Amino acid sequence: MQHRISEHTQGLMVCERAIKRQFEISEQELLEGETGNLDPLQEQQHEVVPGMINKYGNRVLCLMTAECASYCRFCTRRRLVSDLESGRIDFSHIDEWVRYLRQHPEVREVILSGGDPFIVEDRLFDYALDEISAVSSVKVIRIGTRAPVTDPALVNSNKLQAIRRVEQPVYVGIHFEHPSEITKPTIGAIKGLRCAEAILYSQTVFLSGVNDDFQTLHDLFTGLVEIGVRPYYIYRCDPIPGAAHFRVDLDKERRIVSELRRSLSGLAFPTYVIDAPDGSGKIPVPLEFWDTNTSVYTDFEGKKHDTK
Ligand code: SF4
């Protein structure tokens, strides 16, 4: 994965080491190298047309671009993110997606992701939203992004208008890792999205040295609710090559999340999940309130996995 850090992110890195750690290439990453499973969610084998992944039947993932404003060193899609040649999407890809959606009315939810959909040119973004929302069997549109954090200026008025035009509910999932990411420009982007009638939620990855302590996550989730973003998921970091140094001990994560459950309101508390390595889905991790054996879990397809 290439190295790129937006000017906005560079500004955040100056005063917050936890943000620097997310974007700077570390010695550990270089030592770990790129060998191993680059597609832990098994997306490639579920690609039904170029750029569109259908793993679950009732919802599809559309990869709008391989580009992001800043590249996170723990990115689950590092197999394709920053590869601007093979990840290039144009109008003809969107036409193919729409054809697929018309042939598959059982797909009710479309998730636009990438890379970052907010970095694509406005014309392509408009076209994707207009064409996909015109398919009557599509009932929900979701956009996964980190732009409000890494480069809030990408959330521009053209894109907001395109979101506002969509009749279906548009859910925007924003990737946040640390309370210092909630800056004035980020709050401005969030306000714009709320004015465009988007419904906002957050996703967070547990990261060693970034947010693996109670207070940081407490401040993050409280801060998010207060700006109108509902904390949705906190994930265990996927076993990506080059990102092992970001993985937190499972027992430590459970301890922190159990403590969060005690102190946060239900609204501010996200679901803590592990992504099954066979790509079958997100399995909720039991908290410390129950006596359970957490060394092994069973995925949605009945397969057992070791958590260590
Ligand atoms: S913004 Fe998302 S897609 Fe882009 S590098 Fe970060 S985690 Fe990966």
Side-chain angles (χ1 to χ4, degrees):
M1 186 168 60
Q2 304 291 312
H3 184 243
R4 179 200 272 182
I5 307 176
S6 72
E7 220 172 286
H8 178 81
T9 312
Q10 284 179 37
L12 301 180
M13 285 164 57
V14 173
C15 18
E16 184 55 74
R17 280 184 55 194
I19 295 182
K20 202 170 168 188
R21 183 166 163 82
Q22 296 177 52
F23 298 99
E24 269 201 351
I25 298 180
S26 63
E27 238 175 76
Q28 294 105 307
E29 177 178 341
L30 296 173
L31 283 172
E32 283 166 33
E34 300 266 345
T35 48
N37 183 7
L38 276 168
D39 186 14
L41 307 184
Q42 302 203 358
E43 291 182 336
Q44 268 167 320
Q45 68 189 69
H46 293 97
E47 192 169 28
V48 284
V49 289
M52 180 188 260
I53 291 152
N54 185 348
K55 282 204 299 193
Y56 305 114
N58 60 357
R59 54 198 188 274
V60 292
L61 179 71
C62 298
L63 302 177
M64 291 279 293
T65 174
E67 194 175 2
C68 301
S70 305
Y71 294 125
C72 317
R73 305 320 302 172
F74 50 87
C75 179
T76 295
R77 298 211 178 97
R78 70 183 294 153
R79 73 175 191 284
L80 57 89
V81 157
S82 83
D83 180 353
L84 303 190
E85 251 339 287
S86 57
R88 191 177 298 280
I89 293 295
D90 59 28
F91 294 86
S92 66
H93 287 88
I94 293 166
D95 292 340
E96 271 195 74
W97 297 348
V98 168
R99 248 192 313 276
Y100 180 90
L101 291 169
R102 291 197 192 285
Q103 288 161 0
H104 294 270
E106 72 278 9
V107 177
R108 297 172 72 83
E109 204 170 305
V110 175
I111 305 158
L112 302 180
S113 183
D116 202 312
F118 277 90
I119 210 166
V120 304
E121 57 169 316
D122 291 345
R123 281 182 328 128
L124 192 69
F125 187 88
D126 284 10
Y127 190 71
L129 280 186
D130 290 348
E131 293 297 305
I132 292 169
S133 62
V135 180
S136 62
S137 49
V138 172
K139 305 296 183 196
V140 170
I141 295 184
R142 279 161 60 177
I143 303 173
T145 179
R146 210 176 180 195
V149 170
T150 52
D151 192 357
L154 292 174
V155 186
N156 63 27
S157 59
N158 278 330
K159 293 202 167 68
L160 293 173
Q161 278 165 21
I163 291 173
R164 204 187 182 129
R165 275 200 304 275
V166 175
E167 286 223 356
Q168 294 92 329
V170 178
Y171 290 77
V172 178
I174 309 166
H175 182 162
F176 279 94
E177 298 297 355
H178 193 275
S180 301
E181 294 167 7
I182 306 175
T183 59
K184 263 198 184 160
T186 295
I187 295 171
I190 299 290
K191 280 192 179 149
L193 287 162
R194 291 177 64 200
C195 287
E197 295 176 6
I199 302 156
L200 307 183
Y201 63 93
S202 72
Q203 314 212 48
T204 297
V205 183
F206 247 121
L207 296 171
S208 172
V210 174
N211 59 17
D212 59 334
D213 66 275
F214 166 81
Q215 200 57 51
T216 300
L217 289 174
H218 180 276
D219 293 352
L220 173 62
F221 298 141
T222 306
L224 287 174
V225 170
E226 289 172 4
I227 59 167
V229 180
R230 162 79 161 100
Y232 176 50
Y233 273 139
I234 177 159
Y235 301 88
R236 196 158 158 65
C237 184
D238 289 321
I240 323 289
H245 57 289
F246 283 116
R247 301 250 294 171
V248 182
D249 175 69
L250 180 78
D251 291 336
K252 181 177 182 189
E253 289 184 356
R254 289 183 64 232
R255 210 162 41 243
I256 294 170
V257 182
S258 301
E259 191 57 34
L260 288 168
R261 187 66 199 92
R262 277 184 203 104
S263 67
L264 289 173
S265 74
L267 194 65
F269 183 74
T271 306
Y272 168 39
V273 292
I274 183 167
D275 249 315
D278 58 0
S280 74
K282 295 172 182 62
I283 313 289
V285 180
L287 302 184
E288 288 184 333
F289 304 104
W290 295 83
D291 289 333
T292 44
N293 171 10
T294 51
S295 60
V296 171
Y297 68 93
T298 309
D299 69 20
F300 295 152
E301 286 165 1
K303 255 186 261 162
K304 292 202 182 296
H305 301 274
D306 204 319
T307 54
K308 304 294 173 198

